[in-house]
Amino acid sequence: MKTEDSELAVGREATGGETSRRVHRAWFVAVVTFVTIVGAAAFRSLPGLLIDPLHQEFGWSRGTIGAAVSLNLALYGLTAPFAAALMDRFGIRRVVAVALTVIAVGAGATVWMDSAWQLLLCWGLLVGLGSGSMALAFAATVTDRWFTARRGLVTGILTAASASGQLIFLPVLSWIVETHDWRPAAVTVALAALAVVPFVWLLLRDHPADVGLKPYGATEFVPKPPPAKGAARRAVTVLATASRTGTFWLLAGTFAICGASTNGLIQTHFVPAAHDHGMPITAAASLLAVIGVFDVVGTIASGWFTDRLEPRRLLAVYYALRGISLLFLPMLLAPSVHPPMLFFIVFYGLDWVATVPPTVALCREQFGDDSAIVFGWVLASHQLGAAVVAFLGGLARDVFGSYDLVWYASGALCAAAALMALVIRRRPVASGAGAAVA
């Protein structure tokens, strides 16, 4: 068992004392966080690939399968604010390690299911709870604790980790589904989540003070706060206070539309929609993976812009451009990949989660010390928006025989989000959720 002295020695070694110019340990923690999110991204890549195979094998409607994905996305969001509070109480690595294990159990158990309620239990409930416990609130908590400078850039990098995982796993999982059936793909997801657990447990640290360091960019040493008791109560209290401000509802509303137009729409329904037009599943999944490539670029660039430009205006631009691109998508779907579709994929990829760094920055600006938990609730709205569209998208396909109406409606919602972002008033505060009043 490590002693406090040995941990401090590690801290001095990481900084090299007064004269060392070694890389600050915060960057190594960021790398561990990045790799963890990449490894866990496998479960985010699979739902869109399961809709057609499950429909064909079990005869379940796309609405039923969409309901399981919807439950997963909703729990992903609703768990996030409590996870941020639990990280304050029990530490980051304990919460993340347990979450990854729950994901592995849920994904692995799907191979034995033969009823729709089991899909809701395994993929909806278990994977939803596990994924929500290490959602973007995980990245926000790491950034807030370990960095004072470069927060926008780090937020962008960690947000891009999910897209990087999608880039790695989507082609692999789509090939497994087409070649070997969907069950080996589910097992692959479970193993990927389990493989990250020892990595998290051995290398992640909860706070810079654990290794005797100041946060990156800080001028003063920041003591590690005592474990926060009443994690659930604190999450609800922060919500009650923040929800009395107009800024919170504007952020929640825009982020709900963000989730509806990304996770709920493109990530869940793009592959089956492209397949409806004759495109092979592997080709459609590869296009999603390309979105992941440009998502990394766009999100890191967005973090860099967020450190330098007004976050509200960035959000307005991002949502407006996303809405315009969705209006053109129905005209681009075809049996083969052509240049206009590639242009859409690149454009949409650059914008995919570019909204996250400015949204996190606005939460931090408006809600101070409670910003990670507030962002957890804002993320909950993101996932609720995604859940609604994941279900309604499948239902619309069952009723109308096409996804066209869903693309157009989502484009209109993005235009509304752009206007909402511009309405947010800039009012920085020192700390406390209650200090911001819109």
Side-chain angles (χ1 to χ4, degrees), residues 238 241 363-371 374 429-436:
V238 169
T241 305
C363 286
R364 188 179 297 120
E365 174 186 285
Q366 296 286 339
F367 301 104
D369 293 341
D370 291 330
S371 62
V374 173
V429 296
S431 64

Side-chain angles (χ1 to χ4, degrees), residues 14 23-33 142 145-147 154 208 211 213-217:
V23 176
H24 192 286
R25 183 157 181 163
W27 294 107
F28 292 103
V29 172
V31 169
V32 173
T33 304
V142 169
R145 290 186 182 183
W146 281 88
F147 291 86
V154 175
V211 288
L213 292 176
K214 296 180 292 188
Y216 179 82

Side-chain angles (χ1 to χ4, degrees), residues 16 51 57-58 66 96 194 234 259 274 303 311 313 315 355 390 417 423:
I51 292 178
E57 178 172 338
F58 297 107
V96 172
L194 279 179
R234 185 185 174 207
R313 294 179 182 176
L315 284 180
T355 55
V423 174

Side-chain angles (χ1 to χ4, degrees), residues 182-343:
W182 62 269
R183 288 179 176 82
V187 172
T188 301
V189 170
L191 294 177
L194 279 179
V196 182
V197 174
F199 190 67
V200 169
W201 191 257
L202 294 174
L203 300 178
L204 193 63
R205 289 294 179 269
D206 292 328
H207 196 279
D210 288 341
V211 288
L213 292 176
K214 296 180 292 188
Y216 179 82
T219 57
E220 297 180 357
F221 183 82
V222 179
K224 183 178 180 178
K229 297 181 179 179
R233 188 188 321 112
R234 185 185 174 207
V236 173
T237 301
V238 169
L239 172 64
T241 305
S243 64
R244 291 196 286 268
T245 71
T247 296
F248 173 81
W249 292 108
L250 288 169
L251 288 170
T254 56
F255 223 42
I257 293 172
C258 179
S261 56
T262 53
N263 301 69
L265 183 63
I266 297 295
Q267 191 166 57
T268 303
H269 294 294
F270 178 80
V271 171
H275 192 53
D276 283 347
H277 287 76
M279 185 180 293
I281 290 177
T282 50
S286 296
L287 288 177
L288 272 185
V290 174
I291 285 180
V293 175
F294 289 94
D295 181 16
V296 174
V297 176
T299 307
I300 294 174
S302 178
W304 187 86
F305 286 132
T306 300
D307 286 331
R308 292 160 176 79
L309 301 175
E310 171 57 50
R312 298 170 305 153
R313 294 179 182 176
L314 285 175
L315 284 180
V317 171
Y318 296 155
Y319 286 121
L321 293 176
R322 182 183 299 178
I324 292 170
S325 66
L326 284 173
L327 295 178
F328 283 97
L329 181 57
M331 297 178 280
L332 302 178
L333 291 169
S336 60
V337 179
H338 48 85
M341 173 58 80
L342 288 176
F343 180 79

Side-chain angles (χ1 to χ4, degrees), residues 21-48:
R21 295 187 180 275
R22 291 184 181 179
V23 176
H24 192 286
R25 183 157 181 163
W27 294 107
F28 292 103
V29 172
V31 169
V32 173
T33 304
F34 184 93
V35 173
T36 302
I37 297 174
V38 167
F43 60 81
R44 305 298 308 281
S45 305
L46 193 56

